[in-house]
Amino acid sequence: MHALIRACPLGVLVVAGAGGLEANHIPFFLRVADGGQATLLGHVARPNPVWRTAGAASAALVVFQGPAGYVSPSWYPSKRENGRVVPTWNYAAVHAQGTVTFHDDPRWTRRQMEWLTHQMEAGREHPWAIADAPAEYIDKLVANVVGVEVFVERLTGKWKVSQNQSDA
């Protein structure tokens, strides 16, 4: 599950806000402590109301989706043999449940951005780093966002990948 989150870090943060459920698409950095405790770190634009309406330590769900795709009945040998087959959808997903905290602290948010950027740039021949941009430019951008931290209390994963089908 950790590998899927790292490979597909754009999660959908779902929290209860003033007007009901709110969903926000946020790239997250997964931090795992030595004891195994997982925390998801991200940020939202300051004008986004979620950080003001969700409240401190609100319940949160973050949904991560991995590879997914339609599976045609035409791909199965049983279509030709007996016709007893229907379409399906294969996918991999992880649901992280926990509590969310928002950080209106530029040092916290910049550190989160550095970790996420490092993760996303790690495989590149010449990885970009936040320090590559002018400091005043980064400071201005950081001032326009608020940090998001989800303390993960439960992870649930589902891989529906035609594992009930034969290799043929």
Side-chain angles (χ1 to χ4, degrees), residues 1 8 25 33 46-47 66 84 90 102 115 121 126-128 132-133 141 150 159 162:
M1 290 186 279
C8 305
H25 292 74
R46 186 168 293 282
R84 298 178 67 85
N90 283 348
F102 296 95
W115 291 336
E121 291 283 326
H126 302 288
W128 182 86
D132 293 344
L141 293 177
V150 178
W159 272 248
S162 292

Side-chain angles (χ1 to χ4, degrees), residues 4-13 24-29 40 43 62-66 94 116 119-120:
L4 185 141
I5 292 170
R6 287 186 175 112
C8 305
L10 183 66
V12 180
L13 171 67
N24 286 269
H25 292 74
I26 301 171
F28 282 98
F29 174 78
L40 299 167
H43 60 275
V62 184
V63 178
F64 295 93
Q65 286 190 255
V94 173
L116 181 62
Q119 173 183 294
M120 299 310 298

Side-chain angles (χ1 to χ4, degrees), residues 9-145:
L10 183 66
V12 180
L13 171 67
V14 180
V15 296
L21 293 178
E22 293 186 31
N24 286 269
H25 292 74
I26 301 171
F28 282 98
F29 174 78
L30 171 66
R31 182 175 63 192
V32 181
D34 290 339
Q37 176 58 54
T39 308
L40 299 167
L41 310 173
H43 60 275
V44 295
R46 186 168 293 282
N48 186 326
V50 69
W51 71 279
R52 295 184 196 275
T53 60
S58 292
L61 168 68
V62 184
V63 178
F64 295 93
Q65 286 190 255
Y70 174 76
V71 179
S72 172
S74 300
W75 296 347
Y76 294 117
S78 55
K79 178 181 185 283
R80 292 177 297 285
E81 296 164 2
N82 58 30
R84 298 178 67 85
V85 65
V86 295
T88 192
W89 198 273
N90 283 348
Y91 61 91
V94 173
H95 294 179
Q97 291 178 282
T99 54
V100 64
T101 301
F102 296 95
H103 297 276
D104 192 6
D105 174 356
R107 289 176 306 214
W108 189 99
T109 303
R110 182 184 173 114
R111 189 170 49 248
Q112 171 274 317
M113 289 176 167
E114 289 169 346
W115 291 336
L116 181 62
T117 301
H118 177 75
Q119 173 183 294
M120 299 310 298
E121 291 283 326
R124 301 182 59 82
E125 184 177 347
H126 302 288
W128 182 86
I130 288 178
D132 293 344
E136 69 278 356
Y137 175 71
I138 295 299
D139 291 345
K140 182 179 176 183
L141 293 177
V142 169
N144 288 310
V145 297

